[in-house]
Amino acid sequence: MTDQAAPRPETPLLDTVSSPADLKRLNDEQLRTLADELREETVSTVSVTGGHLGASLGVVELTVAIHSVFSTPIDKLIWDVGHQCYPHKILTGRRDRIRTLRQGGGLAGFTKRAESIYDPFGAAHSSTSISAGVGFATAAKLKGAKENVIAVIGDGSMSAGMAYEAMNNAGGLNSRLIVILNDNEMSIAPPVGAMSAYLAKLWSGGTYKTFRDLMKQVTSIFPEGIRKRAAKVEEYTKGMAVGGTLFEELGFYYIGPIDGHNMDHLLPVLRNVRDRHDGPVLIHCVTQKGKGYAPAEDSADKYHGVSKFDVVTGKQSKAKSNAPSFTKVFAEALMQEAQDDEGVIAVTAAMPSGTGLDLFGEAFPERTFDVGIAEQHAVTFSAALAAAGMKPFCAIYSTFLQRGYDQIV
């Protein structure tokens, strides 16, 4: 498939945007239109280059909202992993090269410091964005600079302990840090509707914050036991309503969940957080992977990373091969062993299809364990299984196993 086979969509508003500064002159309605055009441009681009489509489509509105509300690159925007950074690249002066994405001499498939001042931190393994955000926030404080630091992290990346280590540190430092939890899979989120959107706007704004501060002043005259009980009532009432207790315990002011595709929800919350909060804040956004492109919405796994594809049909262009894939051979061999030995167990870290263990899981669901993005835990978990007399096969991509090496030792 060639570039000529997938012409650019008509994007009159997006054509006027060469940097995030151009978003400042657009009203909220125009920002919604811009998001629609940005989504079309992203689909068109990835149909030619291949890449991480589903994640990028899921953060289109969020990307537009962040760049319109905050003053990047003075304010630092950090994308965890970088799977979702294509819309960000289009808005930050790289649209003219976007169809060189992941090509030799072209744009990187992830954020890259050497590529743009709008990429303050390169993409590492997942779950690193909050740690990086704490570093940038601390540096700004030491330099006396008042700048916002925004770290966007997906719900899958929140399964790694590093994210909570960083949040615990940020809460202890009372860092000026905004963490946006991009939740597109987790079941912890209650339905996002008018009430939750209203509460999120209320809690992010001045009225609730002022009331909360006033109540702290009032209760300060009470004995310590009463003050603690009053604080717990406020915290857990809010936590039961929106699921934010865990983050509040780590020292973050929790806001959400909000609809990550609704500008009427996103923009006022981001503006309130920008103007009214100095400590660590977590905004819980609920999004949909592949949003706005039906084939990607219907098959999120297949459209996480794609080869070139036909925009109309969604059919991907993949080279045909008569040879079986390594992952399939591995899975079939492991299933054969498992049929003969009940002690054989399969363990993976959020990569069941990539390692072939999805096939094993279909045949032996009770002996298949996906521990999420937690390679250290996967290795130690497997070691204990082995110590208990089982025969675990821990399948992890070599580059992802780096954070598990210590546990192997």
Side-chain angles (χ1 to χ4, degrees):
M1 186 174 293
T2 64
D3 193 347
Q4 287 73 25
R8 292 182 185 274
E10 292 186 7
T11 54
L13 191 55
L14 181 59
D15 293 344
T16 67
V17 174
S18 59
S19 75
D22 294 324
L23 302 184
K24 307 296 184 185
R25 59 179 171 75
L26 303 180
N27 60 38
D28 290 1
E29 184 60 38
Q30 289 174 311
L31 290 174
R32 296 186 196 96
T33 301
L34 180 70
D36 293 338
E37 294 183 5
L38 182 58
R39 176 169 281 107
E40 291 184 35
E41 176 72 355
T42 301
V43 171
S44 176
T45 294
V46 182
S47 75
V48 173
T49 65
H52 290 96
L53 180 63
S56 289
L57 294 181
V59 297
V60 168
E61 286 81 9
L62 186 58
T63 304
V64 171
I66 291 173
H67 279 301
S68 67
V69 170
F70 295 97
S71 298
T72 56
I74 296 173
D75 290 334
K76 305 299 186 293
L77 173 57
I78 304 165
W79 298 97
D80 200 272
V81 184
H83 289 164
Q84 68 285 69
C85 71
Y86 301 169
H88 161 76
K89 292 198 174 201
I90 291 171
L91 291 180
T92 52
R94 288 170 274 185
R95 188 188 181 193
D96 60 337
R97 294 181 289 151
I98 197 64
R99 293 196 176 197
T100 69
L101 196 67
R102 304 169 76 243
Q103 313 297 314
L107 294 179
F110 305 96
T111 53
K112 186 176 181 180
R113 291 182 68 203
E115 189 178 283
S116 172
I117 59 174
Y118 292 95
D119 294 356
F121 199 72
H125 190 18
S126 75
S127 318
T128 61
S129 61
I130 303 177
S131 293
V134 177
F136 278 105
T138 300
K141 184 176 182 180
L142 292 173
K143 292 186 294 186
K146 184 163 181 162
E147 58 188 47
N148 295 287
V149 179
I150 307 100
V152 183
I153 185 168
D155 54 286
S157 295
M158 292 297 288
S159 63
M162 182 178 180
Y164 299 96
E165 294 171 9
M167 292 186 72
N168 183 61
N169 188 208
L173 294 173
N174 197 33
S175 303
R176 183 178 173 82
L177 174 65
I178 301 165
V179 173
I180 298 178
L181 172 58
N182 175 31
D183 177 1
N184 55 36
E185 290 180 321
M186 293 171 71
S187 59
I188 63 169
V192 178
M195 180 56 70
S196 61
Y198 170 75
L199 291 174
K201 183 177 179 180
L202 173 67
W203 283 324
S204 67
T207 303
Y208 176 79
K209 190 172 186 296
T210 301
F211 175 75
R212 191 186 199 190
D213 292 341
L214 175 62
M215 291 308 297
K216 285 182 178 179
Q217 294 178 28
V218 171
T219 56
S220 66
I221 64 175
F222 296 152
E224 183 178 359
I226 296 178
R227 289 203 309 272
K228 287 183 177 180
R229 283 195 290 273
K232 286 296 180 185
V233 168
E234 189 268 351
E235 176 184 343
Y236 285 104
T237 299
K238 182 179 178 184
M240 284 186 290
V242 294
T245 301
L246 170 63
F247 304 115
E248 294 270 359
E249 289 287 348
L250 290 171
F252 276 71
Y253 188 93
Y254 175 89
I255 300 168
I258 62 174
D259 185 345
H261 300 297
N262 190 326
M263 287 293 194
D264 291 336
H265 298 179
L266 284 173
L267 291 170
V269 168
L270 290 177
R271 288 165 181 157
N272 282 334
V273 168
R274 177 195 63 193
D275 298 336
R276 300 178 183 277
H277 294 269
D278 290 322
V281 177
L282 184 136
I283 304 173
H284 184 172
C285 290
V286 177
T287 63
Q288 180 181 6
K289 250 184 176 179
K291 175 70 174 179
Y293 182 57
E297 289 183 354
D298 296 338
S299 186
D301 289 343
K302 289 183 179 179
Y303 282 84
H304 169 68
V306 299
S307 59
K308 298 177 182 180
F309 63 94
D310 183 278
V311 173
V312 177
T313 65
K315 184 177 180 180
Q316 298 184 46
S317 303
K318 293 186 177 180
K320 294 181 179 180
S321 173
N322 294 325
S325 68
F326 176 86
T327 53
K328 188 172 183 180
V329 171
F330 166 68
E332 290 177 345
L334 191 60
M335 286 189 288
Q336 183 61 53
E337 293 293 328
Q339 288 175 356
D340 301 332
D341 188 341
E342 293 185 353
V344 172
I345 292 174
V347 178
T348 186
M351 294 294 290
S353 59
T355 58
L357 293 187
D358 54 342
L359 300 176
F360 187 94
E362 292 174 5
F364 304 99
E366 74 285 355
R367 283 192 269 163
T368 305
F369 299 91
D370 182 352
V371 302
I373 302 175
E375 291 79 7
Q376 316 94 303
H377 167 60
V379 171
T380 308
F381 172 57
S382 298
L385 286 170
M390 309 304 287
K391 298 176 182 176
F393 285 76
C394 187
I396 300 173
Y397 279 20
S398 59
T399 187
F400 295 162
L401 188 58
Q402 294 176 44
R403 56 170 48 158
Y405 283 161
D406 191 41
Q407 304 308 318
I408 293 174
V409 173

